[in-house]
Amino acid sequence: MHAPEPVPPAAATAADAPEPVPGHGLLAGRTAVVTAAAGTGIGGATARRFLEEGARVVLGDAHARRLKETEEALAAEFGADRVTSLTCDVTDETQVRALFAHAEAAHGRLDAVVNNAGLGGTAALADMTDDQWHRVLDVTLGGTFRCTRAALRSFRTAAADPARRGGVIVNNASVLGWRAQPGQAHYAAAKAGVMALTRCAALEAAAFGVRVNAVAPSLAAHPHLAKTTTPELLDALAAREAFGRAAQPWEVANVIVFLASGYSSYMTGETVSVSSRHP
């Protein structure tokens, strides 16, 4: 007797997502840098969740206007003493160094870094230009490298003081680092590189008590996603998820909170899938 064919999920929307989980003080007293934190995507959701968990947050983003608006909105809700920002293009080493120096100057310490900056796009490999390839790799992989390097330098210096030893880095990878999807050769290669960078950095960082992990979302819904692909493809990808919908950005941010908190104290070099996708 043959097993029944799997039933495809019913159409779902953001309204079908569960209610956000309230904060529990998991990051109380810690200072975190979050890149690409302006707006309504994973970075913005992560900044909010870190604040809800008691952290002080330094926001970085290349979009100055959106960054200022995000800072003002979060400061009004959580307090200006807990939120600050600095414009940062992660392809510019000078700006990356300035962001980390700003965090240290504002709060006197650094405890967590979320490398969220990335750049997508769709292009067939046979038609892809060198500029398209290099731009996606430089933002997505190169930016993660620059910020990871800056974070490790800061953590390594702090490790001389036993009271400040430790720290956490969480990189935003993607399930496309594992899976194939047409038109995504540059993005998939960059995200696979982020996963490999995470593993190697973790072994080096362990020497001074620092953990480095990554999340790999499949599809997280936010307004700017439509700029990198078509609505038809987004609908098709969402339909392939087990829950029949894209993740909400805060659902990815929750996993980032877990990796930044003491609940994952023995995890390093890991990439955690945040996906419900079925074959």
Side-chain angles (χ1 to χ4, degrees), residues 94-157:
T94 299
Q95 293 188 36
V96 169
R97 290 189 182 192
L99 177 65
F100 283 81
H102 176 71
E104 294 266 10
H107 301 295
R109 62 180 298 133
L110 180 64
D111 300 289
V113 175
V114 179
N115 290 319
N116 175 65
L119 179 67
T122 301
L125 186 58
D127 302 317
M128 189 179 296
T129 67
D130 283 7
D131 285 345
Q132 286 175 307
W133 174 268
H134 289 305
R135 179 63 177 160
V136 169
L137 267 289
D138 196 21
V139 174
T140 307
L141 179 55
T144 302
F145 154 68
R146 293 182 193 92
C147 292
T148 298
R149 178 173 61 187
L152 290 180
R153 286 171 174 171
S154 176
F155 290 142
R156 183 175 61 187
T157 299

Side-chain angles (χ1 to χ4, degrees), residues 33-51 57 59-61 66 70 74 114-118 170-175 187 191 214-225 246-257 272-275:
V33 167
V34 183
T35 66
T40 57
I42 292 173
T46 299
R48 171 174 288 278
R49 288 296 293 121
F50 272 45
L51 288 163
V57 176
L59 315 171
D61 202 288
R66 287 200 329 224
T70 301
L74 292 175
V114 179
N115 290 319
N116 175 65
V170 184
N171 296 324
N172 191 358
S174 168
V175 293
Y187 186 72
K191 290 300 191 179
V215 295
S218 55
L219 183 64
H222 61 87
H224 302 296
L225 193 60
Q248 293 300 296
W250 63 262
E251 292 179 292
V252 179
N254 280 349
V255 181
I256 295 174
V257 166
V272 179
S273 175
V274 189
S275 171

Side-chain angles (χ1 to χ4, degrees), residues 3 6 47 68 77 99 104 154 162 164 176 208 217 248:
K68 191 63 177 176
E77 186 172 352
L99 177 65
E104 294 266 10
S154 176
R164 293 185 58 192
L176 289 186
F208 35 98
Q248 293 300 296

